[in-house]
Every structure is written in C-alpha cells, then in structure tokens.
Amino acid sequence: MPFIRTHVHQSTSPEHRQGIVMGIHQALVDSIGMPEDELFNMVNDYGAGQFFFDRTFNGMARSERPVVVEITLRRGRSDAMKRALYAAIARNLKANAGVAPDDVFIFMHENDYSDWSVGGGKFAMALVQQRGPG
C-alpha cells in the first residue's frame, strides 16, 4: 500500500488537486500493479517563502508552482518499474491538471511491511503472514 504525500502551491484549484491525485494514483496502478482501492494521498499546500528551489537545476525550466510527490511504499520494485512510474506520473499530471513535466518532482521512500500499520493498530507484517503467498 503506497502512501503518497503531494505538495502543491496554495493557489492550486480543487479540480487540479483532484486531477493531480488521480493522475498519480492511475500511474501507480498502471506502472507497478497497485490495486485500484489503494488510494492514500495526503495533499499539502505551500506558499511564498515555504519552498525554495532552483528553477533551472538539471536543465529544467520550472515554473513558480512545482508539484512535489513523495511516495512511500514497500521495497521491491525494479528500476525499470520506477522509471515507468515516474514517466506515467509526469504524463498524467500534464493530461489531468496541466502540470508541466519539468514541474514534477518525485521522491521514493522504500521500507518493509514491518514499518506499516494500516488500520486498527495492527502490525501490517502480521496481516501479510496471515494471508500467505498470493
């Protein structure tokens, strides 16, 4: 179950926020086979003086309103899957919310089942062990 934290400029409309969230979600479903019902995306705002960045780092042409996507998920995806995921997120954000690909920052944080509790105070590793191999 990936947990996503998306940071958008405070002026981002509710419609664009929805497009961003669903674009990220669909990329996860399409690129790494995440189940459709695993949508957990917390959207946070930033304003002037809260996010400092170089608009041309690494040859990009960024606006003043980049979107930062932090993905925390269980370890085990290949570099090829991650490349496909990053490309799909950038493509979907452009299509769904008009976000320029140069304005999309993506950071991946990987961990193990033992690092999660997804409800009821239950240790996620115990839930996986109960289900057994799928």
Side-chain angles (χ1 to χ4, degrees), residues 70-110:
E70 293 183 76
I71 303 170
T72 302
L73 75 166
R74 185 180 42 82
R75 184 176 332 280
R77 277 50 177 216
S78 69
D79 286 349
M81 291 173 84
K82 292 176 189 176
R83 262 192 296 279
L85 173 62
Y86 302 157
I89 290 172
R91 193 171 47 251
N92 290 354
L93 268 56
K94 181 168 179 49
N96 292 7
V99 177
D102 283 0
D103 277 341
V104 180
F105 286 78
I106 304 168
F107 303 96
M108 182 80 67
H109 309 284
E110 295 181 303

Side-chain angles (χ1 to χ4, degrees), residues 56-77:
T56 61
F57 173 74
N58 210 24
M60 300 295 151
R62 295 181 184 86
S63 75
E64 294 179 358
R65 299 175 39 168
V67 174
V68 179
V69 180
E70 293 183 76
I71 303 170
T72 302
L73 75 166
R74 185 180 42 82
R75 184 176 332 280
R77 277 50 177 216

